[in-house]
Amino acid sequence: MRVVVARSGGVTGIAVRWVVDLGEGPEYSDWIVLIEACPWDDEPDDPPAPDRFLYLIRANGRRVTLPEQRVQGPWRELVDRVRAVGTPERGRALPPLDDLDATDDLDTADNADTTDDAARTRGDDRPNGPRGSDGPA
Amino acid sequence: MRHFIIPPYLLAHLADSAGDRFPRAAEAARQALRNDEPVRLARAAHPRYPDFGEGTPRTAFAREPRGPQRTIYDARNAEELPGHRVRAEGEPEVVEDDAANEGYDGLGETYAMFAEAFGRASIDDRELPLHATVHYGREYDNAFWDGERMVFGDGDGEVFTRFTASISVIGHELGHGVTQATANLEYQGQAGALNESLSDVFGALVEQHSRGQDAATATWLIGAELFTDAVEGVALRSMKEPGSAYDDDLLGKDPQPGHMDDFVVTTEDYGGVHINSGIPNRAFVLTATAIGGSAWEAPGRIWYETLTGGSLTETSDFETFATATVATATRLFGAESPERAAVVDAWATVGVPVTE
Ligand SMILES: [Zn+2]
């Protein structure tokens, strides 16, 4: 499974993206718990605020767009974790997000209409694998 | 009215806003301001201002602005605002805190440009106190205007240094406050790119005004102080040559277009507001270099009065804005003026049609 945090905006206007490809490592179920703790369906429609970052987060067949002010609680935990593990890629030469969607679909094709239950099951199906396989692939 | 000496900013405020409730006070204020007309307005004499019936020329405000009321706060690397107060107006420098002192000085330079060039009394034209918070967050690569105050991060130290280091960025953030208080352009799509561009224009004008640079010698760079030595680039943006500010292994290439043919369609950054701002940015530089002299004078005034003049809506697009700048130039300088011609040529060069 691929987790993407794409940050755009800010006064610099320089986009940054962190991508983490999760294998069946020991932390896989932790990631799933964290991902599923996020309120994916509560996408805010706050009016845009000048020079604030805009986050697009994708994981486990879901996606959400959040202004940085809303990156709180489990969202903040998820974003900080992805940033800690993933390598930042900057600038506009990044592949369009739709290309990342396609890659993500490869991993989650069996899971396109993920519900909370399905995601939990999927997490449970993949408990502890060999260590060290959850870094960027 | 009570009898004490009224500073010009207050006269101007009365002339502007007292009309309905206190018509005699408003007229008295207008009369006082007319008697106090700055000499440097002579070139733009009244007969060339047929539409100034609603008030006095705004630059008449500029003689003795009351001055900024600044307060600097330190977030101490947390993300809570406003943080701890470290310096208020008139207090000595904060020992060993460059960010706090740069923020204080930058707010002062920004206040001075708006006051002296446009007669604007702070962000809201009503002497709003200026608050800024420095050391926001950890390795925070950003600065923003949160609707009430400016907020500055320290940068990550690898790509970006502290954001207070750039006076054009400080002016940019305060510019967002001015836009919010006036046309309130929504921060999305073309209106958002105009919002961004106006902040870049004001940021550049603050820098040029503080350094005494004219349009020809100015750098027209935004955030020239922010990159570390590790980055191949000169600034965040080049208003003069959009797309040329950086080309770096880590950052990629500056994506700004300088012509409508290259307008970027994207869902990121609220429709690429920091990217497509390159187009109106370049139009301003073309206007300013064609007119010559200090860019905060005629060119800045055309842009400023377009923003504040009431003809824009929150969703105005490039074409609406361009057309409005031509109308402002006509009103201020006349239909046959070189100033108006410069504006028309500039928008044509960047591919934005002007409807007349
Ligand atoms: Zn901005």
Side-chain angles (χ1 to χ4, degrees):
Chain A
M1 182 180 66
R2 172 165 281 190
V3 185
V4 179
V5 171
R7 189 184 80 185
S8 62
V11 69
T12 71
I14 297 172
V16 191
R17 222 175 265 182
W18 296 267
V19 178
V20 175
D21 285 308
L22 300 175
E24 296 182 15
E27 293 170 8
Y28 189 89
S29 57
D30 288 352
W31 278 94
I32 290 292
V33 168
L34 179 53
I35 288 164
E36 293 306 317
C38 294
W40 292 91
D41 297 330
D42 296 342
E43 189 162 78
D45 58 351
D46 304 359
D51 294 333
R52 301 307 298 262
F53 291 128
L54 182 65
Y55 282 87
L56 190 144
I57 306 170
R58 296 188 42 81
N60 211 19
R62 299 153 173 269
R63 63 189 293 158
V64 71
T65 302
L66 298 174
E68 67 172 306
Q69 308 91 292
R70 296 287 188 154
V71 180
Q72 307 274 352
W75 287 125
R76 181 62 187 255
E77 229 174 295
L78 179 62
V79 166
D80 283 351
R81 193 159 172 188
V82 172
R83 289 181 61 169
V85 176
T87 308
E89 298 175 274
R90 293 187 174 83
R92 291 278 309 164
L94 297 172
L97 284 167
D98 287 346
D99 290 357
L100 287 179
D101 290 353
T103 313
D104 190 58
D105 285 346
L106 292 178
D107 290 340
T108 59
D110 60 323
N111 209 9
D113 297 314
T114 304
T115 64
D116 286 5
D117 285 349
R120 276 187 210 105
T121 306
R122 190 178 144 89
D124 292 343
D125 285 348
R126 300 186 184 187
N128 294 332
R131 180 161 274 284
S133 56
D134 61 339
Chain B
M1 288 173 82
R2 279 178 289 166
H3 294 273
F4 50 82
I5 296 168
I6 303 166
Y9 78 88
L10 187 54
L11 287 175
H13 180 69
L14 283 169
D16 229 25
S17 59
D20 293 342
R21 290 177 59 205
F22 307 107
R24 279 197 290 175
E27 180 47 39
R30 278 193 286 271
Q31 184 61 44
L33 282 168
R34 273 194 293 275
N35 293 341
D36 203 25
E37 196 83 341
V39 175
R40 62 194 171 84
L41 273 182
R43 169 171 106 84
H46 271 289
R48 297 182 73 182
Y49 291 83
D51 290 344
F52 259 120
E54 71 262 17
T56 59
R58 305 285 284 184
T59 38
F61 291 63
R63 305 200 86 195
E64 281 181 72
R66 188 166 77 192
Q69 303 161 61
R70 293 165 283 183
T71 310
I72 309 297
Y73 297 84
D74 181 350
R76 297 181 185 168
N77 300 113
E79 294 184 9
E80 271 155 44
L81 293 170
H84 305 268
R85 179 189 169 289
V86 291
R87 187 179 180 189
E89 191 63 43
E91 293 180 1
E93 290 199 339
V94 185
V95 175
E96 294 191 359
D97 190 346
D98 290 341
N101 298 322
E102 286 166 351
Y104 184 89
D105 292 344
L107 296 190
E109 300 289 6
T110 306
Y111 182 97
M113 194 285 288
F114 277 101
E116 290 164 21
F118 308 133
R120 190 170 187 86
S122 189
I123 285 174
D124 61 347
D125 205 12
R126 286 174 171 71
E127 300 287 8
L128 183 79
L130 300 177
H131 291 185
T133 295
V134 298
H135 304 302
Y136 178 82
R138 291 196 179 278
E139 301 185 1
Y140 187 68
D141 281 337
N142 199 14
F144 60 89
W145 162 256
D146 85 339
E148 297 173 22
R149 63 174 61 77
M150 281 136 286
V151 182
F152 299 92
D154 291 330
D156 58 68
E158 291 180 359
V159 177
F160 294 109
T161 59
R162 61 179 186 276
F163 279 67
T164 47
S166 175
I167 191 172
S168 57
V169 166
I170 295 174
H172 175 108
E173 296 311 329
L174 260 158
H176 280 307
V178 173
T179 295
Q180 177 187 310
T182 54
N184 198 26
L185 290 158
E186 71 171 11
Y187 202 69
Q188 189 139 352
Q190 287 196 12
L194 285 171
N195 190 324
E196 263 309 304
S197 175
L198 283 156
S199 273
D200 280 351
V201 166
F202 293 137
L205 294 183
V206 169
E207 181 179 291
Q208 292 167 25
H209 182 261
S210 74
R211 296 178 182 174
Q213 292 173 333
D214 64 16
T217 56
T219 66
W220 296 106
L221 298 172
I222 300 298
E225 300 81 359
L226 295 188
F227 286 142
T228 63
D229 293 342
V231 175
E232 293 287 325
V234 294
L236 299 177
R237 293 182 278 281
S238 166
M239 298 179 67
K240 192 172 186 174
E241 293 178 68
S244 72
Y246 55 88
D247 189 354
D248 180 79
D249 289 346
L250 206 57
L251 299 181
K253 190 182 178 314
D254 175 3
Q256 281 209 310
H259 191 280
M260 278 307 279
D261 288 350
D262 304 312
F263 187 92
V264 175
V265 177
T266 172
T267 56
E268 293 193 67
D269 190 22
Y270 298 112
V273 297
H274 293 90
I275 295 174
N276 292 315
S277 55
I279 296 166
N281 276 357
R282 184 167 166 235
F284 182 78
V285 179
L286 289 165
T287 300
T289 46
I291 293 174
S294 302
W296 61 85
E297 291 180 348
R301 189 140 175 236
I302 293 167
W303 255 243
Y304 174 78
E305 294 208 10
T306 300
L307 174 67
T308 58
S311 70
L312 301 179
T313 68
E314 293 183 10
T315 57
S316 288
D317 60 8
F318 286 4
E319 195 172 325
T320 308
F321 182 81
T323 302
T325 57
V326 174
T328 305
T330 306
R331 176 168 67 78
L332 292 176
F333 300 102
E336 304 302 324
S337 64
E339 289 88 349
R340 181 187 181 280
V343 176
V344 170
D345 288 351
W347 289 113
T349 303
V350 302
V352 175
V354 169
T355 44
E356 298 192 58

